[in-house]
Amino acid sequence: MKPLLKASHVVEMFGGLKAVSDFNVYLEQGELIGLIGPNGAGKTTAFNLFTGVYQPTSGEIEFDGQSIVGLAPYQITQRGIARTFQNIRLFSELSVLDNVKIAFHDHVKYGLLEAVLRVGRYTEEERQIERDSLELLKIFHLKDKAYETAKNLPYGAQRRLEIARALAAKPKLLLLDEPAAGMNPQETQELMEMIRWIRKEFNLTILLIEHDMSLVMGICERIYVLEYGHIIAHGTPEEIQNNPEVIRAYLGGAS
Amino acid sequence: MNIQRKNDLMYLVLGLVIFGIVYGLMEGGMIGSFWKLNIIIICINIIMSASLNLINGYTGQFSLGHAGFMAVGCYVSVILTTNFHMPLIVGMLAGGAAAALLGCLIGLPTLRLNGDYLAIATLGLGEIIRIVIMNINYVGGAAGFTGIPHLTTFPWVFFTMLVTLFFIKNFVNSTHGRACIAIRENEIAAGAMGINTTKYKVMAFTIGAAFAGIAGALFAHCFYIINPSSFTFMASFNYLIMVVLGGLGSLTGSVAGAFVVTALSAALASWPEFRMIIYALALILLMFYRPQGLFGYVELTAFKPFRFLDRTKGGRE
């Protein structure tokens, strides 16, 4: 079977700086993969390349057997990749419910005229969107906060809302950029359970960036380690923990 | 019948009641011709501010050229009604379509800009439209277009206004409108949620321009003459003031803003020397005490005494 996502020899230059070089990653259908590395290693750059925010200087990225190089972010989302952001990017002045509703956009079938005249598929589809949105919020323990303004949520809840919103786009591949940042150990533990559960329930493939090693080592099946834009190691959590290159990258030492 | 339909019906009945009262007073001679004209102007200004709000308030694209689209609708419609003796409705539709076409054509390149740059570009656009009209002899050039039939009546403007408000209300409560609001809130996140941001910016701009064109057609047929000097940058600015004063992203705010600004300047018409001073003072005070505008992102129905008007959000508390 072909991998769901495959990046081969991807290079991204910012002026003279090689943010990512000779980047090779593959994700099989249904896997849960971690991407780790010290600050500034190029992890978020890799996410931005996968989602069309940046275009690779050279190299190829294939999703579901087709190249996604050159597509705009919204086109990539429509193909089935959804993401969350490291620095939370919610629609902060809107209600929690509206944040999720917006993400259903691509799956709405009614047209402009039906919406304005409130005829045809409008009423039924809007009701369905509301029901599905509340269902998603329930999974992420946000249902009782559905009508609150998103910016007033506590930090951990905002991170969960970002995941709920990404799921509303009905992706095949979910990219999570530091989902546990700012969470306490208990919240992180809950998040881990949640990520495991949604993967099974929504039949997802997940790639996540995370600094919290308990989370990464706890749930990821394979891990890629980035340093200065290069992948220095790749393997199961046990292999990564004992890899001398990785230990050197994180703790320093003679190389 | 579902709650949404019931709500729409209630608004419609409310609109008809207001229409009945005002129209009755007009026909009964209780409202003089000066206020009669001003009530018509208020309705036209409500169309203008509501449509500008769709661009500036809901989609968050700062446009300063709204009077330009009004001018296009105005001139296209008067050519049809005066020179070709078409009925008003044809003039309105053609004026709206012409303004929409121009809005779409101009929106495509300019909406790639954002913030201040878009404001400057649309400002220039409004001026270009005005100056082009000024130099076309067929429509009278700078002297203005004369001999326009006086076709605009209160029922015409009131029901066009009602259609506009319903259109924009339903638009912003659909997935298309939510896409526009998402662009205002966070353009990068909107793109990441699968929203084609350019498409929806142009869509909002086009719809806004279309209603400005329709308002222009109604405006032209209030008087016997129209002149390009009615569509200067000051006019665009005046509509922006209505939107900001009422509250960006609030439809009831736009109605209130247009009403307050137009009624205030009409009431002060007898004291022309103080008019601008009071007007400016009112604006400064409002921005000082309520920078988000009278309503600021929320509708009238969000306030307690008016909550009964909107039952769709009944489960809010």
Side-chain angles (χ1 to χ4, degrees):
Chain A
M1 205 173 92
K2 277 195 103 160
L4 185 67
L5 183 83
K6 187 165 174 251
S8 20
H9 310 295
V10 173
V11 178
E12 176 70 10
M13 308 271 290
F14 293 132
L17 177 80
K18 262 190 182 173
V20 163
S21 60
D22 201 29
F23 186 68
N24 294 296
V25 163
Y26 70 91
L27 267 68
E28 298 289 352
Q29 174 75 43
E31 274 187 311
L32 209 170
I33 308 292
L35 183 60
I36 63 171
N39 287 326
K43 304 181 296 290
T44 300
T45 304
F47 266 31
N48 285 337
L49 286 166
F50 293 154
T51 51
V53 178
Y54 299 151
Q55 294 300 331
T57 312
S58 67
E60 182 59 37
I61 304 170
E62 274 181 21
F63 177 69
D64 226 358
Q66 280 175 311
S67 171
I68 54 168
V69 174
L71 294 184
Y74 79 90
Q75 290 169 314
I76 291 179
T77 307
Q78 289 172 355
R79 295 248 178 126
I81 302 181
R83 69 174 294 181
T84 66
F85 294 91
Q86 181 182 6
N87 46 343
I88 298 174
R89 286 182 189 273
L90 289 170
F91 306 118
S92 50
E93 296 288 338
L94 305 183
S95 74
V96 170
L97 180 63
D98 279 341
N99 266 275
V100 181
K101 275 182 169 182
I102 284 168
F104 278 101
H105 177 76
D106 191 41
H107 303 279
V108 171
K109 288 182 200 70
Y110 66 77
L112 182 62
L113 218 60
E114 282 169 288
V116 168
L117 298 174
R118 294 203 164 158
V119 294
R121 293 168 286 189
Y122 172 82
T123 316
E124 185 45 46
E125 275 195 62
E126 277 294 304
R127 204 177 291 154
Q128 187 65 40
I129 289 170
E130 177 138 350
R131 225 171 8 230
D132 292 352
S133 301
L134 287 172
E135 197 60 38
L136 272 173
L137 288 177
K138 198 171 152 193
I139 294 170
F140 288 91
H141 310 310
L142 289 166
K143 196 176 175 184
D144 50 332
K145 297 193 173 70
Y147 295 100
E148 275 182 41
T149 310
K151 67 173 180 193
N152 295 339
L153 290 183
Y155 199 72
Q158 291 195 12
R159 289 232 170 261
R160 293 203 304 272
L161 177 56
E162 272 223 328
I163 302 174
R165 187 180 66 171
L167 283 179
K170 300 182 186 167
K172 292 176 205 154
L173 171 62
L174 182 63
L175 307 178
L176 302 174
D177 200 344
E178 299 198 21
M183 288 187 178
N184 63 35
Q186 194 213 334
E187 283 177 314
T188 306
Q189 197 61 38
E190 283 172 18
L191 181 77
M192 253 166 86
E193 293 305 317
M194 215 173 265
I195 291 174
R196 269 203 200 105
W197 189 82
I198 58 169
R199 169 169 73 146
K200 220 169 68 197
E201 186 71 17
F202 294 91
N203 199 13
L204 286 171
T205 310
I206 296 175
L207 176 64
L208 62 88
I209 294 176
E210 189 48 68
H211 282 297
D212 189 317
M213 287 304 149
S214 66
L215 183 129
V216 176
M217 297 300 168
I219 61 173
C220 292
E221 285 142 8
R222 279 191 299 128
I223 294 170
Y224 286 95
V225 187
L226 261 179
E227 193 198 15
Y228 297 122
H230 289 274
I231 288 178
I232 56 166
H234 162 218
T236 62
E238 294 74 38
E239 286 166 3
I240 294 297
Q241 275 164 342
N242 301 318
N243 187 310
E245 269 292 294
V246 177
I247 294 166
R248 181 200 56 76
Y250 270 91
L251 299 177
S255 53
Chain B
M1 201 153 60
N2 65 49
I3 292 173
Q4 258 184 349
R5 288 257 166 77
K6 260 188 202 156
N7 237 347
D8 280 356
L9 204 68
M10 195 163 64
Y11 290 139
L12 193 66
V13 169
L14 199 69
L16 288 176
V17 167
I18 293 172
F19 172 78
I21 293 170
V22 177
Y23 195 60
L25 287 176
M26 273 183 176
E27 293 297 295
M30 316 281 271
I31 296 175
S33 60
F34 174 74
W35 280 104
K36 219 164 158 178
L37 178 65
N38 271 300
I39 288 171
I40 288 179
I41 299 291
I42 285 173
C43 291
I44 293 173
N45 285 349
I46 288 174
I47 302 177
M48 288 299 286
S49 61
S51 58
L52 185 63
N53 203 351
L54 181 62
I55 303 170
N56 284 29
Y58 286 104
T59 319
Q61 306 301 307
F62 204 85
S63 166
L64 266 179
H66 218 48
F69 296 119
M70 193 185 190
V72 171
C74 196
Y75 274 87
V76 167
S77 69
V78 292
I79 289 168
L80 288 173
T81 53
T82 314
N83 294 1
F84 296 96
H85 307 291
M86 303 270 196
L88 178 62
I89 182 80
V90 177
M92 277 165 62
L93 292 175
L101 186 69
L102 190 72
C104 183
L105 286 177
I106 286 164
L108 276 170
T110 54
L111 287 168
R112 289 169 198 280
L113 304 170
N114 47 34
D116 311 350
Y117 306 107
L118 179 68
I120 302 281
T122 50
L123 180 81
L125 163 76
E127 288 297 285
I128 289 169
I129 295 175
R130 185 174 65 87
I131 288 162
V132 166
I133 292 172
M134 218 148 90
N135 286 291
I136 299 175
N137 282 328
Y138 181 68
V139 295
F145 194 107
T146 50
I148 305 162
H150 194 109
L151 296 172
T152 305
T153 56
F154 178 64
W156 267 112
V157 286
F158 190 88
F159 286 107
T160 312
M161 177 191 84
L162 221 53
V163 169
T164 309
L165 292 177
F166 265 90
F167 188 106
I168 295 177
K169 174 181 82 68
N170 289 356
F171 178 80
V172 297
N173 283 310
S174 73
T175 188
H176 311 289
R178 281 198 297 266
C180 291
I181 295 169
I183 293 169
R184 172 190 82 197
E185 288 295 315
N186 195 322
E187 200 169 334
I188 292 175
M193 293 303 119
I195 291 164
N196 183 347
T197 51
T198 310
K199 178 180 154 189
Y200 281 96
K201 279 197 252 178
V202 174
M203 188 188 274
F205 205 66
T206 306
I207 294 172
F211 282 113
I214 292 171
L218 288 168
F219 180 76
H221 296 86
C222 288
F223 309 99
Y224 300 99
I225 175 168
I226 51 160
N227 192 299
S229 63
S230 312
F231 308 107
T232 55
F233 138 75
M234 279 311 289
S236 292
F237 203 69
N238 211 20
Y239 298 125
L240 184 71
I241 287 173
M242 294 173 196
V243 172
V244 174
L245 188 125
L248 288 160
S250 164
L251 206 53
T252 34
S254 288
V255 175
F259 183 82
V260 168
V261 169
T262 321
L264 193 69
S265 72
L268 293 174
S270 328
W271 301 281
E273 61 271 37
F274 296 117
R275 185 172 152 192
M276 285 321 280
I277 299 175
I278 295 175
Y279 190 51
L281 266 180
L283 280 180
I284 292 170
L285 286 176
L286 186 86
M287 287 301 108
F288 209 75
Y289 290 107
R290 230 180 133 68
Q292 72 274 46
L294 290 172
F295 291 92
Y297 290 127
V298 292
E299 300 297 340
L300 185 67
T301 47
F303 299 101
K304 263 232 163 82
F306 300 99
R307 208 162 281 168
F308 72 93
L309 286 172
D310 186 3
R311 277 180 257 182
T312 53
K313 297 186 177 83
R316 188 167 266 224
E317 277 160 306

